């Protein structure tokens, strides 16, 4: 049986992490340059500071997302929220290496293309992106991220502690995280707006929580409080 304790600073930290993550997931598609990546303009886009910054925003956002779901678990105190957190953490761990290579590795290739004027080097970009181990890790990571956030939304829905709908937009955004890569720049920006709104809503709801679920002390007899 759970009792209630005042909201802890760790929960507020988790709420703040979610809100900052929302802003970063919005900036990611907005700042990211879009161009025909088989052209010299595409190489210039990938070799730009905007490319590095936008992907860095996403990577930090994934990390902050897990910290935010830790805050959700501290509030709910249930194994469902713990399982959601673990799945999301694994998904983040599988996703980040690909993002790091996409950010810094492709940047180096693109800078060399621009410096030498040799567009044939851009073939290395596609070789990296579709390298079997890399793309499998990336896909599995994004799927697990989607599953983890949906699990968290289900835990929030059933908890009665946070507003039922408060995690649903974020769950929808992460369920669509992998498919949105196949959309246009405009669609990806719209997805960034959805992700930001979802993270901000859940973060604000978490920030406003007045109580944190906590297990009863282990040394209290099972019959305590019955009489």
């Amino acid at each position: 049986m759970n009792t209630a304790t005042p909201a802890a600073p760790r929960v507020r930290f988790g709420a703040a992490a979610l809100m900052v993550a929302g802003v970063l997931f919005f900036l990611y598609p907005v700042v990211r340059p879009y161009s025909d990546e088989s052209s010299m303009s595409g190489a210039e886009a990938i070799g730009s500071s905007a490319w590095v910054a936008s992907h860095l925003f996403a990577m930090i956002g994934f990390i902050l997302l897990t910290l935010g779901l830790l805050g959700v678990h501290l509030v709910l105190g249930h194994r469902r929220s713990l399982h959601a957190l673990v799945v999301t953490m694994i998904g983040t761990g599988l996703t980040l290496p690909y993002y790091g290579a996409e950010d810094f590795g492709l940047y180096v290739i693109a800078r060399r293309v621009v410096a030498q004027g040799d567009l044939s080097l851009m073939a290395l970009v596609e070789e990296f992106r579709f390298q079997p181990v890399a793309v499998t890790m990336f896909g599995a990571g994004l799927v697990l991220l989607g599953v983890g956030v949906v699990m968290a939304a289900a835990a929030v829905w059933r908890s009665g502690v946070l507003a039922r709908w408060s995690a649903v937009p974020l769950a929808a955004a992460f369920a669509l995280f992998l498919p949105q890569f196949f959309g246009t720049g405009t669609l990806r920006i719209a997805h960034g707006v959805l992700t930001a709104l979802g993270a901000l809503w859940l973060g604000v709801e978490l920030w406003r929580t007045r109580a944190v679920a906590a297990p009863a002390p282990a040394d209290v007899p099972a019959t305590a409080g019955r009489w």
Side-chain angles (χ1 to χ4, degrees):
M1 183 174 180
N2 286 343
T3 58
T5 60
R10 288 175 295 176
V11 175
R12 289 287 177 88
F13 177 79
L18 274 173
M19 289 186 276
V20 174
V23 174
L24 293 176
F25 280 124
F26 169 72
L27 291 175
Y28 164 44
V30 170
V31 173
R32 183 194 187 280
Y34 299 93
S35 186
D36 178 4
E37 294 180 358
S38 64
S39 65
M40 188 59 70
S41 62
E44 291 170 352
I46 296 176
S48 67
S49 57
W51 178 271
V52 174
S54 63
H55 287 77
L56 186 60
F57 292 153
M59 288 188 282
I60 296 173
F62 288 129
I63 295 169
L64 293 178
L65 172 71
T66 61
L67 295 176
L69 293 191
L70 173 60
V72 171
H73 172 61
L74 291 175
V75 166
L76 303 186
H78 197 279
R79 64 172 175 265
R80 286 191 296 267
S81 57
L82 176 61
H83 294 165
L85 174 62
V86 171
V87 171
T88 304
M89 290 176 65
I90 295 171
T92 297
L94 290 173
T95 301
L96 285 179
Y98 192 97
Y99 257 91
E102 177 92 2
D103 194 3
F104 309 120
L106 299 194
Y107 172 83
V108 170
I109 294 171
R111 295 297 297 173
R112 180 63 61 89
V113 169
V114 173
Q116 296 184 354
D118 184 1
L119 197 56
S120 66
L121 293 175
M122 287 299 288
L124 296 174
V125 171
E126 294 305 303
E127 286 185 30
F128 155 70
R129 282 178 170 165
F130 295 101
Q131 198 277 337
V133 176
V135 76
T136 299
M137 283 183 59
F138 179 61
L142 288 179
V143 168
L144 287 175
L145 274 167
V147 171
V149 180
V150 168
M151 290 172 63
V156 169
W157 183 277
R158 299 174 63 179
S159 70
V161 177
L162 301 171
R164 274 192 165 192
W165 288 93
S166 58
V168 171
L170 187 63
F174 274 88
L176 295 171
F177 213 103
L178 184 56
Q180 60 94 26
F181 283 116
F182 301 96
T184 63
T186 301
L187 183 61
R188 294 185 65 175
I189 291 171
H191 178 265
V193 172
L194 174 62
T195 309
L197 292 175
L200 289 170
W201 185 3
L202 183 57
V204 169
E205 184 69 20
L206 192 60
W207 184 277
R208 295 170 57 187
T209 301
R210 300 179 63 85
V212 179
D219 57 348
V220 176
T223 55
R226 290 186 180 181
W227 311 104

